[in-house]
Amino acid sequence: MNNKIKIGIVGYGNLGRGVEAAVTNSPDMELVGVFSRRASETVTTLTGATVYPYDMLLSAEKVLAGEAAKGFPDIDVLIICAGSATDLPTMTPQLAGFYNVVDSFDTHVNIPKHLNTVDMAAISSGKTAVISTGWDPGLFSLARLYANAALPDGSDYTFWGRGVSQGHSDAIRRIEGVLDARQYTVPIQSAMDRVRSGETPNLTTREKHLRECYVVAEEGADLERIESEIKTMPNYFADYDTTVAFISAEELASKHAGLPHGGSVLRSGNTGLNDEYSNTIEFKLDLESNPYFTGSVLTACARAAYRMNEKGEIGCKTVFDIPPIFLLPGNREEIIAHML
């Protein structure tokens, strides 16, 4: 295919590798480079893609000339594979000042603020930025929107897991005496069954999910103290029924090396003149690799960002603003003929 969409990846961890795989498998895209804050010679990509210093993205020659600097690839969309806590709030608006961008900002409560900041930068540069893509926020957000449109009289429920929570695992690793850890978020089956049966229960946090923790401790560490610190940790474990199992590093590596995840969005509601008909909508994901799946969603949104910018739709967008047909390769007629 001629005139492929030229993609740059910013950041090269698990998510960056997931995006690299997705772009490589997309017939209408090509990966033109990976941009990393690590020394280029220390980064080995899956496909042999060229690694550039992150600072090149903001080089004066590139920005002021408005064209590719010597030795710098032409870029249609940057996919930013960085963390929501400290990186994306600054990197996305900074880069949106010069490029079309996509990110996976997932701190739900701060999305409106992030959107406004990125919007100002993208409008000033005439670029298109798509934020908070992935599966939650992202596909799960769309599932909630469509379910609310179809069942305005109803209740929403989101269950996550069973899957590895990287943020919660990191929180455990910060405890003194902990060498490594994995934390699984586990939905409570009885709660899901009630919603699937058409009930609309008012469920507490503790009634929806469990926390399973597998911990490798230093030799001689106080295991009772570690377990207590985990179970009482505010904002992470205190509001959940939590189990802690101490295991060896070898068992963690052999049984808990992967990054699976998933979950379900459900909405139960009534239809009919007198609400006589009960209905349940469910959207479910079962992911063997969270970062590789998330990378695939970001890549589809990069295609949409490029197409929206081509049509003059500038500023900051979310998955709610993307015409669904822009997410897929191919033309409108083919997509309608095969999928509608």
Side-chain angles (χ1 to χ4, degrees):
M1 179 179 179
N2 295 325
N3 301 319
K4 290 188 176 183
I5 303 171
K6 299 175 179 62
I7 302 293
I9 297 173
V10 180
Y12 197 70
N14 290 322
L15 182 56
R17 285 184 282 272
V19 170
E20 182 182 15
V23 170
T24 301
N25 292 327
S26 297
D28 59 338
M29 294 182 171
E30 64 175 312
L31 178 60
V32 297
V34 171
F35 298 86
S36 176
R37 289 177 291 191
R38 289 181 280 161
S40 300
E41 62 272 15
T42 68
V43 181
T44 302
T45 61
L46 296 173
T47 62
T50 303
V51 180
Y52 299 93
Y54 172 76
D55 289 345
M56 283 188 71
L57 290 170
L58 303 172
S59 66
E61 185 179 1
K62 166 73 177 177
V63 172
L64 296 177
E67 58 187 23
K70 184 178 180 181
F72 195 94
D74 190 20
I75 299 168
D76 291 319
V77 186
L78 285 176
I79 302 178
I80 310 172
C81 302
S84 296
T86 58
D87 289 334
L88 293 180
T90 56
M91 292 174 71
T92 303
Q94 186 178 46
L95 294 172
F98 308 107
Y99 309 91
N100 299 317
V101 299
V102 172
D103 81 11
S104 59
F105 185 80
D106 64 358
T107 308
H108 290 261
V109 69
N110 291 331
I111 288 176
K113 178 181 177 181
H114 186 56
L115 187 150
N116 288 335
T117 304
V118 176
D119 193 48
M120 288 188 290
I123 289 175
S124 69
S125 63
K127 300 299 183 179
T128 304
V130 179
I131 65 161
S132 300
T133 66
W135 57 275
D136 199 3
L139 296 185
F140 273 16
S141 309
L142 286 172
R144 287 187 283 263
L145 185 149
Y146 286 129
N148 273 262
L151 292 176
D153 177 16
S155 299
D156 290 313
Y157 302 89
T158 302
F159 295 93
W160 297 280
R162 183 177 190 263
V164 174
S165 171
Q166 297 182 74
H168 285 67
S169 299
D170 289 339
I172 298 173
R173 285 191 284 266
R174 291 197 297 266
I175 296 175
E176 181 182 354
V178 173
L179 294 175
D180 204 352
R182 295 291 185 279
Q183 188 272 315
Y184 292 86
T185 301
V186 184
I188 296 176
Q189 189 63 47
S190 59
M192 295 181 68
D193 290 342
R194 290 180 65 189
V195 177
R196 284 174 174 151
S197 71
E199 290 186 48
T200 56
N202 184 17
L203 298 170
T204 65
T205 296
R206 193 177 300 274
E207 291 174 321
K208 290 189 290 185
H209 296 92
L210 302 171
R211 301 285 189 188
E212 290 181 2
C213 308
Y214 296 89
V215 181
V216 179
E218 295 177 358
E219 186 175 353
D222 184 341
L223 303 187
E224 289 187 6
R225 174 188 57 79
I226 292 173
E227 181 171 355
S228 176
E229 286 193 35
I230 293 172
K231 290 184 174 181
T232 59
M233 189 182 298
N235 302 320
Y236 285 89
F237 301 103
D239 294 330
Y240 300 85
D241 288 333
T242 301
T243 61
V244 178
F246 292 97
I247 62 176
S248 67
E250 292 75 20
E251 184 176 352
L252 190 76
S254 64
K255 295 183 179 181
H256 304 283
L259 293 171
H261 220 314
S264 298
V265 170
L266 299 102
R267 184 169 176 83
S268 294
N270 299 315
T271 54
L273 191 60
N274 298 302
D275 291 340
E276 61 265 40
Y277 303 111
S278 176
N279 312 269
T280 302
I281 298 172
E282 180 172 357
F283 179 78
K284 180 181 179 182
L285 294 176
D286 186 3
L287 314 177
E288 186 173 354
S289 171
N290 179 3
Y292 274 74
F293 180 81
T294 301
S296 186
V297 179
L298 265 65
T299 299
C301 289
R303 177 181 295 112
Y306 173 78
R307 290 177 172 175
M308 293 172 79
N309 189 259
E310 288 284 284
K311 289 186 173 293
E313 299 178 28
I314 65 171
C316 188
K317 313 295 181 181
T318 72
V319 290
F320 296 154
D321 304 301
I322 296 174
I325 210 161
F326 280 8
L327 294 166
L328 289 167
N331 62 51
R332 179 174 180 269
E333 291 74 18
E334 292 172 343
I335 294 169
I336 290 173
H338 287 91
M339 295 193 180
L340 190 60

